[in-house]
Amino acid sequence: ASVANEDAAEYLKLSRQRNDRVRLRGIVATIAGFVGLAAALTLYVMAPSWLLMLAVATLTTTLGVVGAPADRPLIDLAKVTFRKRKLSSDIVIRAHEVAGLTSKDQTIAFPRPIGRDGDGWRVVVDLPYGKTFEDAMKAHARLASGMDIAPTQLFLDKDETSGRRVSYWIADRDPLAVPSGKSPLLGATRVDFWKPFPWGVDERGNPVMATMLWLSLLVGAVPRQGKTFSARTIALAAALDPYVRLYVFDGKASPDWRTFAKVAHRIGFGIVPKNGFDPVQHLLTSLRELKADVEDRYHRLSELPLHVCPEGKLTPEISRDKKLNMPLTLFVVDEVQEYLTHPEHGKEILSLMVYLARVAPAVGVSVMTATQKPDDKACPSELRDQHQARFALRVGAYQVSDTILGAGSYSEGLDASKLLKSHKGVGLLKGMSDDSGIVRTYLADGRDADRILTRAAALREAEGTLSGDAAGEAPAPETSVTILDDVATVLGKGEAKVWSETIVDRLADLRPDVYGPWAELEAKPKAEALTAALKPYGVATEQISRRIDGKVVNKRGIKREDIAAAITERNNKRDAG
């Protein structure tokens, strides 16, 4: 170590100490040798042969035991140690020959020298004419064998300049089995969800930044490979932005998402009703609520003044304006197959999720679904295909990998079935950016998540953005399951349009126990209460003009035809169910 550090003084000091020890050992060994020789001669002359053999064996064993290091047995198992070898062009050529990527007439060429790249080697080769990157991908295991390394040490990258050029990165050891470490979110005071945030590192240890803006993400894997933890890290980043609204539902009711109750606007676990609470119905209500919100956002963004919304798109300023009420929203469903296969509500849940995954990201509502069963029965392709980004951790076969990542991913070199059991939290990412690749996601265990969410809840309380279930606020539409029928009842004959505050007063007379609190509000909050209640059913309010005492008065209200259309749609869904 002193030589490696070029510390001459320390080296000389240690060298003198060693010389002194060696000199003392030499003196002792010499004396012991003479004494032992005399004893051996005496024993040889006087003792029988069997006693001589016993004495030699006993002496040898005793000296071996005494001289053995304290931390190792006398006889140990054979061990294969880590090998870090220089990679030569001969080795690379040999690998391509045994992999069947060369011929008698053509071999590979090296457009640039082989060189070190981080903890490994970078090799760029031109395959023989007629051979392609896809051929190299199919020969991945044979190439690794030809280089005398494990397949998990060999990584192939496509070169866009030529169909036959392949870039290899050969790691000194399996980099995917090395944990990426704790999430940097543990040290973050807050996150700006409008900007990329740390999610993990790639196979070479370079940071991988994630973003959920304008896209939906599908996460898939076999059980116990880190699927939930990988998805949860993204949700934790969203939680640390106090202006992001969170919806969290877990189909298997595991402990992994429980602490999100501190910050989630809507949250539910499992599919079994408990203590009068039906999590599936809560999910359905939340989906309807979000669908209505998305439709309303499209409408309102198109109406905002140009100086506020110059391109008709959501901006950071608009999303953080509490009066406009259009925050960035992350809708998370883990083990989504449990909800999609629900015998009563599965079809409607699927329909609503397809709509959100396809339409909602454009107005700041992102969807992240995770599943261990990405097949057509448990998670239909009509939903999978709406996700612009895909993340596949270890799966059982390349066909399953293609199901998660999208058809044709295998031919692009993306095959999550090649990942090992030891590669927990490691997956292939596609569609979040222009590049696809491996991500070793950061770890935030249960205690870490609790620390982060405690900080996130404090942030939201300070900013006044804690809402929904986290703030003890029940969904407005659930105050009455017959809100549409009640509004239809209080509409007078021949009334095509009615002000919202007028409707609320009539509802309070119809059902004082349900709508009475609304009627006690001021005019504007009274109208907003009705608007929020009707949103999940797709009924929007609009400006209605009335002439009173010769003056034109404009107030928001509803149209009879919209209520009738919503009732018809609801009844049709019930009949279909």
Side-chain angles (χ1 to χ4, degrees):
S2 300
V3 172
N5 295 331
E6 299 182 357
D7 190 343
E10 181 68 13
Y11 173 78
L12 292 174
K13 177 182 176 182
L14 294 171
S15 180
R16 286 193 294 270
Q17 290 180 359
R18 177 191 176 280
N19 293 338
D20 292 341
R21 287 197 297 268
V22 170
R23 189 179 299 110
L24 176 61
R25 290 173 184 169
I27 295 172
V28 172
T30 302
I31 295 174
F34 282 114
V35 172
L37 180 61
L41 288 172
T42 303
L43 182 64
Y44 178 76
V45 173
M46 300 180 64
S49 59
W50 66 267
L51 183 59
L52 179 62
M53 294 176 63
L54 179 62
V56 172
T58 303
L59 178 62
T60 304
T61 303
T62 302
L63 291 176
V65 172
V66 172
D71 62 336
R72 281 185 299 211
L74 181 62
I75 299 176
D76 200 358
L77 297 174
K79 295 180 180 178
V80 179
T81 58
F82 162 63
R83 298 182 298 172
K84 181 178 177 181
R85 297 164 297 175
K86 180 176 176 60
L87 189 71
S88 67
S89 58
D90 290 338
I91 294 175
V92 177
I93 292 172
R94 178 190 68 194
H96 284 78
E97 288 176 348
V98 299
L101 294 174
T102 61
S103 64
K104 292 182 179 180
D105 300 328
Q106 295 185 73
T107 185
I108 61 172
F110 296 88
R112 67 191 68 169
I114 298 173
R116 292 290 294 174
D117 181 3
D119 295 329
W121 297 90
R122 173 63 65 182
V123 182
V124 179
V125 304
D126 286 336
L127 300 173
Y129 292 102
K131 298 292 184 179
T132 64
F133 172 81
E134 288 72 22
D135 294 325
M137 278 301 309
K138 293 176 182 177
H140 180 273
R142 297 192 298 275
L143 283 169
S145 175
M147 296 179 191
D148 196 16
I149 57 174
T152 51
Q153 291 176 250
L154 177 62
F155 299 88
L156 285 68
D157 296 315
K158 200 169 188 177
D159 193 308
E160 299 300 332
T161 63
S162 172
R164 66 188 185 100
R165 179 165 294 179
V166 184
S167 178
Y168 300 101
W169 187 69
I170 298 96
D172 294 332
R173 62 178 71 192
D174 182 2
L176 305 185
V178 180
S180 57
K182 292 282 189 179
S183 171
L185 296 176
L186 282 166
T189 54
R190 65 191 297 159
V191 168
D192 184 352
F193 211 58
W194 280 90
K195 300 177 181 178
F197 53 88
W199 193 27
V201 295
D202 64 14
E203 66 272 17
R204 289 181 280 276
N206 300 314
V208 175
M209 308 297 284
T211 179
M212 286 298 295
L213 290 179
W214 326 125
L215 57 81
S216 298
L217 173 66
L218 172 65
V219 181
V222 297
R224 292 176 293 281
Q225 283 301 128
K227 165 180 59 66
T228 295
F229 279 29
S230 299
R232 191 173 67 178
T233 303
I234 291 178
L236 289 172
L240 282 175
D241 186 334
Y243 291 97
V244 174
R245 185 173 291 165
L246 271 167
Y247 289 72
V248 176
F249 289 87
D250 176 18
K252 298 193 82 170
S254 65
D256 300 324
W257 296 95
R258 296 282 176 173
T259 45
F260 276 85
K262 297 179 179 182
V263 297
H265 181 74
R266 299 283 178 244
I267 192 165
F269 306 102
I271 60 174
V272 179
K274 188 176 181 181
N275 299 326
F277 178 79
D278 187 347
V280 178
Q281 185 61 51
H282 193 48
L283 170 64
L284 198 55
T285 299
S286 299
L287 287 168
R288 292 168 179 165
E289 180 181 66
L290 264 179
K291 182 176 185 290
D293 181 35
V294 168
E295 292 172 341
D296 188 52
R297 288 187 185 206
Y298 274 104
H299 178 71
R300 289 194 290 147
L301 285 171
S302 65
E303 290 185 340
L304 286 175
L306 289 178
H307 69 278
V308 176
C309 186
E311 297 181 2
K313 297 180 179 179
L314 193 70
T315 64
E317 294 74 23
I318 293 174
S319 71
R320 292 165 185 155
D321 189 330
K322 297 177 186 176
K323 294 181 180 178
L324 294 175
N325 192 27
M326 286 189 283
L328 285 181
T329 300
L330 179 62
F331 184 79
V332 181
V333 187
D334 194 9
E335 305 298 354
V336 67
Q337 73 278 354
E338 300 298 320
Y339 296 113
L340 297 178
T341 55
H342 190 271
E344 182 180 356
H345 301 297
K347 289 183 178 179
E348 186 176 358
I349 290 173
L350 173 62
S351 174
L352 289 167
M353 289 197 65
V354 167
Y355 172 85
L356 291 178
R358 182 181 71 249
V359 174
V363 288
V365 179
S366 298
V367 177
M368 179 169 63
T369 56
T371 180
Q372 58 180 270
K373 293 182 179 180
D375 57 87
D376 283 333
K377 182 178 180 181
C379 185
S381 59
E382 61 183 298
L383 174 59
R384 294 197 313 268
D385 293 345
Q386 304 307 323
H387 293 79
Q388 298 88 346
R390 316 287 188 91
F391 186 59
L393 296 92
R394 190 178 76 89
V395 295
Y398 79 89
Q399 294 92 340
V400 182
S401 177
D402 256 21
T403 299
I404 299 172
L405 296 173
S409 296
Y410 178 77
S411 62
E412 298 173 14
L414 300 175
D415 181 7
S417 68
K418 292 182 178 179
L419 297 172
L420 306 179
K421 286 185 178 180
S422 58
H423 299 157
K424 294 188 183 297
V426 179
L428 304 180
L429 179 64
K430 181 180 180 181
M432 190 170 282
S433 64
D434 292 337
D435 298 323
S436 301
I438 291 174
V439 182
R440 292 185 285 150
T441 56
Y442 289 122
L443 174 65
D445 59 22
R447 291 184 178 181
D448 296 337
D450 185 65
R451 285 174 53 192
I452 293 170
L453 291 168
T454 299
R455 191 184 318 137
L459 275 174
R460 290 165 185 264
E461 288 177 356
E463 298 286 350
T465 56
L466 200 65
S467 63
D469 293 348
E473 301 169 356
E478 293 305 298
T479 54
S480 171
V481 296
T482 59
I483 182 69
L484 293 175
D485 300 315
D486 290 344
V487 171
T489 300
V490 300
L491 287 174
K493 291 183 178 181
E495 286 185 316
K497 299 179 180 180
V498 183
W499 284 339
S500 295
E501 59 186 77
T502 303
I503 293 293
V504 170
D505 290 337
R506 294 177 183 178
L507 289 173
D509 292 335
L510 177 68
R511 298 181 187 272
D513 56 328
V514 176
Y515 305 107
W518 294 5
E520 296 175 2
L521 299 172
E522 297 293 332
K524 187 175 180 181
K526 184 188 298 186
E528 290 174 348
L530 181 63
T531 300
L534 293 175
K535 244 186 179 185
Y537 301 98
V539 178
T541 58
E542 63 178 36
Q543 291 289 341
I544 298 175
S545 299
R546 291 280 187 271
R547 184 173 294 276
I548 301 177
D549 297 332
K551 295 182 179 179
V552 176
V553 179
N554 288 312
K555 294 182 181 181
R556 298 199 73 83
I558 61 172
K559 295 190 297 184
R560 176 189 290 273
E561 62 184 36
D562 291 341
I563 296 294
I567 291 175
T568 301
E569 182 180 357
R570 181 201 63 188
N571 293 340
N572 289 339
K573 287 180 179 179
R574 286 179 179 175
D575 294 339

